[in-house]
Amino acid sequence: MVVNKADNFRSIFSWKEGDIIVNGITIPIVQRDYAQGRTTAEVNRIRNRFLKVLYDALVENKRTTLDFIYGNIEKEQLIPLDGQQRLTTLFLLHYYIAQHEHISEDEWEFLHHFTYETRVSSREFCQHIVKYTPDFELQTLSEQIQDEAWFLLEWESDPTVKSMLVMLDAIHTMFHDTYGLWQKLLGDAITFYFLPLGDLGVTDELYIKMNSRGKPLTNFEHFKAELELQMKEVDEDSAKRIIRKIDREWSDLLWPYRNSETGNQQADAVTDDEFLRYIHFVSDLISYQNNEVEIKDEFDIIEKQFSKTNPQALENMKILESMFDIWTTIPNIDEFFNDYFSVAEYQPNKTKIDKQPNLFLDCCAHYGIIIGKRPQFPLGRFIMLYCFVLKLEHPELSDANFRRRLRIVNNLVNNSVNTLRSDFMKELLAQVDKIVLMGIVEQVEEGKARFQSKQMDEERLKLEWTQKYPEKAETLFRLEDHRYLNGYIKAVGLEHVDWCDRFYSLFNCSHHSVNKALLAIGDYFEKDAWRYQIGIGDFVVNRNVKDRMWQELFSPIRLEDSLCTVLQQLLSQKETFDDDYLNGLVATYLQEAKEYPLRYYIVKYDSMRTNRDGRYNNYGKYYWRHHNDWPKKDEDKQRELRLKDYNVILMSTEWSLGGYNHDLFLKTLYDLAGKENISLELENYSYSRYNEGGDKLKMDNGRCLTLADNVFNIYDENNELLDSHQIVQNDAGIDIEERVEIGLQMIKDWIL
């Protein structure tokens, strides 16, 4: 049978072609219950959108066709094989409008010939409802219906009846202020293609296979149907081509990734989620380029980007089609990305990343997923995938140029975490366009750079430098790819690129030794808000923490000239480094010292770099108690005051002063003197203020040792001063008397 015209709901009840006659609709027992009235969040959304389509068709004159409805014909009854849900909703809509507009029964008498065989209660409800006229002035219809004498209590347990009541309330909410829709219902406002299969004796087994219970249409299938509907109003040929590709080429493209959510082929043997995630990526790209916010709901994506309400809808459809098509041209996407990326370490002619190199796979598997507050496909990954979109859409771009420019973007992404924000994405993507397509790292006006400005400046210089010294490019790239530099090499300096092997050699040594050697050369504390930081040793919670702490020190946001100077002075001394050399350098510094700045003590005493349990400080963070008294905006003056201020707390946490944070010197004295073995007790919260003017190291018999600025005091249990010693300092305020040794002697004098 060839379907060449669209039918409306009314026409089914008097349908005739040849020997096939249809006078009614019967939903068979084997069909699942009516589901469009369920109250889950997903069904609520589907119901509201479907009703909006019907509303627009009737009220806004936006005619709609609801695809095919077909089934077996038995005793002049249509037994639907596909279309049960739509037919039931149309039945309820016809009933509502007929009663709402006071249509005479002879016009809607055909509704008596719609029935359910799934349950007796469903059938009887359909028989009663068509004869019932509710009060349309009331807010809901369901409560009225349930109060009627003919409504049996047990019907409330029938899922089809419950769904019909919900749908009637939804119809009432949307259509209660309308009028004059009946004739439109009987016309061509809402149509479908009706395909009766004839008296073929379709078996129950076939119904069950094609309409198995508990397997309603997926969210993506509803999405695809609405997408096709809306796109056809924009451009029918394009819509048909896109939907055909979704079913064919694009499904083949995503098929290898179908298990991305569960990893279980049987549990996730569909590509629906992957389609929607990549469509969200495309949609967000469109939004970013138009300086608009992301659209969270996929059905809103259809309405706002691919329907005729958007003047750019056809252009957006072309973008959608292109961004799927580009991946179908690649024989092996895994190999494609592996050719451009290395994971975790430097490889010639590749860009180093630390995660899954197949960005397309990662996008399809994780886009839009947030765990805690952390997106599983963050904006940095978005930008990197966009680079490949540009490459594939511009075949004229040479492979060599793309590889060089991809590295630039990767360096910018790695060091611009604080500026990778969705409200900056329009500018960020525009900058990526210039880098990837034209090789231009533009100089952005101060304060308006969206990538980190210092990194932008360095990338521009490095691009010019590699053009001038192409033979040194791979040495530069290897230096960039050290896990501590992460693309920003200022700490070593572009003029010292040849020190690349030295840098690797240095940080292959014990980090405990590296940190002491750097401090032996000079003070390099870097400010981190209200804290200060130096590097950390080897014995930390895990390597990721250690790496991150050193990465922060060398990052464009934090790196200070003091660290650059100290590091370059150390690197200049030797081509290769080992622990013996570093420890010798430290020993020489300690032996030759004539004054004792804070760094001297930190180099000399391991306790100043270890937590209470003896492990090296996990974060290298220190807190100056008097920092609030320093001038707020004068960093040179702050540094001057810090260098002669010994009121320092060793932090055991990264961000907070809560927990076991201790006065640096009292904690060191506690460790060196024998801890609790000689009846010492260290206060838990060293930042607490005491009337005595400092923190306490408790001794026996109620006595305690305090250190206030440059004075050690010992008090008895009644807070009476027993002993005091002021540390001698030079005119610059630097110790010329070793305060730790003095403190130890005072403890011995009063305890031992």
Side-chain angles (χ1 to χ4, degrees), residues 341-355:
F341 285 134
S342 64
V343 178
E345 62 182 17
Y346 166 80
Q347 289 184 25
N349 209 31
K350 292 187 179 183
T351 294
K352 181 180 79 74
I353 59 173
D354 296 324
K355 297 180 180 178

Side-chain angles (χ1 to χ4, degrees), residues 184-197:
K184 292 183 179 181
L185 273 177
L186 302 184
D188 61 356
I190 302 171
T191 58
F192 45 80
Y193 295 108
F194 176 42
L195 181 60
L197 301 180

Side-chain angles (χ1 to χ4, degrees), residues 34-50:
Y34 178 53
Q36 287 189 350
R38 293 175 183 173
T39 54
T40 64
E42 181 179 338
V43 175
N44 286 341
R45 179 174 60 191
I46 293 169
R47 178 175 58 253
N48 291 334
R49 291 186 178 279
F50 185 43

Side-chain angles (χ1 to χ4, degrees), residues 135 224 242 292 334 477 506 644 660 667 677 746:
D135 183 351
K224 186 175 70 170
I242 289 172
E292 297 170 349
D334 270 338
F477 300 156
L506 177 64
K644 59 183 179 181
Y660 294 103
K667 188 261 185 188
N677 295 330
M746 292 179 72

Side-chain angles (χ1 to χ4, degrees), residues 658-692:
Y660 294 103
N661 302 292
H662 303 289
D663 178 276
L664 186 61
F665 288 93
L666 293 184
K667 188 261 185 188
T668 300
L669 292 172
Y670 170 77
D671 289 342
L672 295 177
K675 303 182 180 180
E676 63 272 7
N677 295 330
I678 58 169
S679 303
L680 293 177
E681 182 181 344
L682 191 65
E683 292 286 349
N684 289 341
Y685 300 97
S686 68
Y687 59 88
S688 302
R689 299 280 184 156
Y690 294 91
N691 294 331
E692 297 87 348

